[in-house]
Amino acid sequence: VDNFLNSKHYWTYINSNEIHDKSSHEYPYPFNVEHRLYINIDTVATHKLGLLFLKKCEQQNLPYLFKFSDKVNTDNFIVYTDSQHLPNYYKILTDIKKENPELEQYISRPPILSSLLDEWIGYESESYDKDTPFNLTRINIINSAFDEALQDAIFTDPELTLTIEGEDVSLIDE
């Protein structure tokens, strides 16, 4: 299996094209990535989830592309998919959890910026800008919305103050 592990930074990528298809492709993945599923699982159980996911994909003759990390963060297991395979991968993940109840103790809420499919699987559509990570795009949108809302509040109520550490602070420089 070591030959098929593609480690980038602290991520390990598992790609069915690299395991089964030795020919070179213009596009290195088994499908056009359109979606991501996020599992926040403790690092002690990450490898088990990865192995179970890989086995189920193999049994169902499905292509796969996922990555995992041994570093502690809230998105340490990510499944990439196209629209066609999205329901298959969701079902595989829910079946794995159902068939392996001991994994439940290691699973937490997915990353805060992801949408929730249920209490433990996060979802994001792939970023249209391939050079900018999805979370950075979403953070920029949230920051922009927050800035606009704050500016609206200041112009609507110029006397508005915030209480920071017990002290009232004006939002307008005097």
Side-chain angles (χ1 to χ4, degrees):
V1 171
D2 286 342
N3 295 341
F4 306 113
L5 298 179
N6 178 4
S7 295
K8 293 182 182 176
H9 309 291
Y10 57 88
W11 290 103
T12 301
Y13 289 73
I14 308 294
N15 178 348
S16 61
N17 270 10
E18 293 179 1
I19 294 174
H20 297 292
D21 188 356
K22 302 299 181 204
S23 60
S24 61
H25 295 278
E26 187 175 310
Y27 190 73
Y29 303 133
F31 39 68
N32 185 30
V33 175
E34 299 170 293
H35 313 279
R36 297 176 186 201
L37 298 175
Y38 289 85
I39 309 296
N40 180 7
I41 188 165
D42 193 290
T43 56
V44 300
T46 304
H47 290 240
K48 180 172 185 171
L49 178 60
L51 187 58
L52 292 168
F53 185 80
L54 183 136
K55 282 183 178 181
K56 285 199 174 281
C57 288
E58 289 284 337
Q59 289 168 351
Q60 296 177 35
N61 244 357
L62 293 171
Y64 47 85
L65 175 63
F66 63 96
K67 71 179 182 179
F68 59 90
S69 173
D70 290 329
K71 304 288 183 201
V72 177
N73 58 45
T74 60
D75 66 347
N76 58 346
F77 192 91
I78 301 172
V79 176
Y80 296 90
T81 184
D82 58 359
S83 295
Q84 177 185 348
H85 297 99
L86 180 62
N88 302 99
Y89 297 145
Y90 178 78
K91 182 167 182 356
I92 286 173
L93 289 169
T94 56
D95 287 350
I96 288 171
K97 186 177 177 199
K98 211 178 293 176
E99 294 164 6
N100 299 273
E102 72 280 4
L103 288 177
E104 179 104 29
Q105 65 185 317
Y106 301 110
I107 297 172
S108 303
R109 187 189 185 288
I112 195 159
L113 293 179
S114 66
S115 302
L116 292 178
L117 293 181
D118 56 30
E119 77 280 358
W120 68 285
I121 299 176
Y123 167 83
E124 291 179 358
S125 58
E126 187 64 18
S127 177
Y128 292 106
D129 177 2
K130 299 294 182 198
D131 295 328
T132 305
F134 181 85
N135 281 338
L136 182 57
T137 301
R138 189 169 266 186
I139 287 168
N140 289 337
I141 291 169
I142 291 169
N143 281 342
S144 177
F146 181 76
D147 288 346
E148 287 178 30
L150 188 57
Q151 288 174 6
D152 287 348
I154 291 170
F155 290 121
T156 303
D157 184 3
E159 303 300 317
L160 184 66
T161 61
L162 294 178
T163 303
I164 301 174
E165 295 180 358
E167 186 177 327
D168 287 340
V169 178
S170 172
L171 294 178
I172 299 177
D173 292 331
E174 296 189 31

